Amino acid sequence: MPPVVNSVDPAQGPVSGGTTVVITGTGFTGATAVRFGSVNAASYSVSSGTQITAVTPAGTAGPVPVTVTTPGGTSNATVTFTYTAVPPTVTGLSPSSGPTTGGTVVTVTGTALTGATQVRFGSVNAASFSVVSSTRITAVSPAGSPGAVPVAVTTPGGTSAAAPASYFFYTGAPLLTAISPSAGPAAGGNTVTLTGQNLLDAVDVRFGALSATLETASPTEITVRAPAGSGLVAVTVTTAGGASNPLTYAYVAAPVLNTVSPSLGAAAGSTVVVLTGTGLTTATAVTVDGVPVGFTVLSDTRITAVVPPGPVGDAAVRVTTAGGTSGAVIFQRVAAPGI
């Protein structure tokens, strides 16, 4: 005689399947199949002639008959299991921002994601998506406009609701408009200010191939500590929105002073001197014993400066450029001859 199914407990479960149910009835010994509708159970075990434990397969929303087949035939189809459609939820995005050009691979985490038929960024379909598990989807962001949009997942159970953790932020590409100073010492370590737009979320600032140390950031200004380098390099900023346009930065060798001519003068008056050396083009200051004095850059190897009156004795003359401060050459102030 065919088996008889009297009840299923529990009598409902999610469309994703995986619900363990206990089927009670008679004539279950030697069962060869347990079906939910037309689909075989994911697994089952015959506990006795009156009880079977089975795991539901995936299904579609609504009731389906539960049947047991034995060598004696197939049971009645009057007892049903109801598949319930659970709407998906989105509980996180990683990363949660990307460029307006799209193309960001985003891991969407949540619940009840199995069977997803659509993933949207705002009102636009994802460029592509793949359901990894019931709690994870990998999606590629489409192009969008700067700002935040909710990411929504649609399954047979419905469409996820917008929540704070479901928002994806489209970031405009950073734009650089100025760099100050535009030159610095080959040893690096100096502070450089970059101005522009969309700079707040900078993840990397590069001087050529080397990353600078980020100190402060705002939407329109970044300060960094320059790395060591040489020659002319392109400075770029990278954010979630992409890489900026380049600005040019020049690494300058430290200045060297070789001579001062004349090397002595009256302590009571001013003396115009010529300083010779190398790396003098970008001179920003000439000091005599630490006091700034007037100067004129004649070439990369020559500067004229005015040594002011001062005490009798040696005075240290130095030049500061974008590359740093030179060593000192000595100017000697002498007393006026006595009468």
Side-chain angles (χ1 to χ4, degrees):
M1 293 184 57
V4 175
V5 173
N6 295 325
S7 66
V8 177
D9 185 30
Q12 65 178 23
V15 292
S16 57
T19 302
T20 299
V21 300
V22 175
I23 304 168
T24 57
T26 60
F28 292 162
T29 301
T32 57
V34 175
R35 290 187 176 89
F36 289 75
S38 61
V39 183
N40 285 331
S43 64
Y44 70 92
S45 63
V46 179
S47 304
S48 68
T50 60
Q51 182 175 298
I52 291 176
T53 300
V55 176
T56 62
T60 56
V64 295
V66 179
T67 58
V68 175
T69 298
T70 70
T74 298
S75 69
N76 55 303
T78 56
V79 175
T80 60
F81 178 88
T82 301
Y83 281 104
T84 56
V86 178
T89 64
V90 174
T91 58
L93 304 173
S94 180
S96 59
S97 62
T100 55
T101 52
T104 302
V105 178
V106 180
T107 297
V108 182
T109 54
T111 61
L113 303 180
T114 302
T117 57
Q118 187 179 65
V119 177
R120 287 197 163 222
F121 287 68
S123 61
V124 183
N125 285 333
S128 63
F129 72 91
S130 174
V131 179
V132 179
S133 69
S134 64
T135 61
R136 185 155 63 102
I137 289 176
T138 300
V140 177
S141 66
S145 301
V149 296
V151 175
V153 175
T154 298
T155 71
T159 299
S160 62
S166 70
Y167 277 84
F168 182 83
F169 295 85
Y170 280 106
T171 305
L175 173 68
L176 293 179
T177 56
I179 182 170
S180 179
S182 59
N190 56 305
T191 296
V192 178
T193 299
L194 302 167
T195 55
Q197 299 173 18
N198 301 323
L199 304 181
L200 179 60
D201 297 318
V203 295
D204 193 21
V205 179
R206 290 195 170 240
F207 284 59
L210 300 177
S211 294
T213 301
L214 186 64
E215 295 187 326
T216 64
S218 75
T220 59
E221 183 176 285
I222 290 176
T223 60
V224 297
R225 195 163 293 278
S230 62
L232 297 177
V233 297
V235 177
T236 58
V237 174
T238 299
T239 69
S244 73
N245 57 301
L247 295 180
T248 300
Y249 181 84
Y251 281 104
V252 180
V256 175
L257 282 183
N258 296 324
T259 64
V260 54
S261 180
S263 60
L264 56 82
S270 297
T271 304
V272 177
V273 298
V274 176
L275 304 171
T276 61
T278 58
L280 306 181
T281 300
T282 61
T284 56
V286 175
T287 60
V288 177
D289 284 341
V291 179
V293 300
F295 69 96
T296 301
V297 177
L298 302 178
S299 70
D300 191 58
T301 60
R302 297 178 71 221
I303 289 178
T304 61
V306 178
V307 178
V312 172
D314 292 344
V317 182
R318 293 181 174 85
V319 172
T320 297
T321 70
T325 299
S326 70
V329 291
I330 301 302
F331 178 85
Q332 187 178 36
R333 291 190 180 101
V334 297
I339 299 178

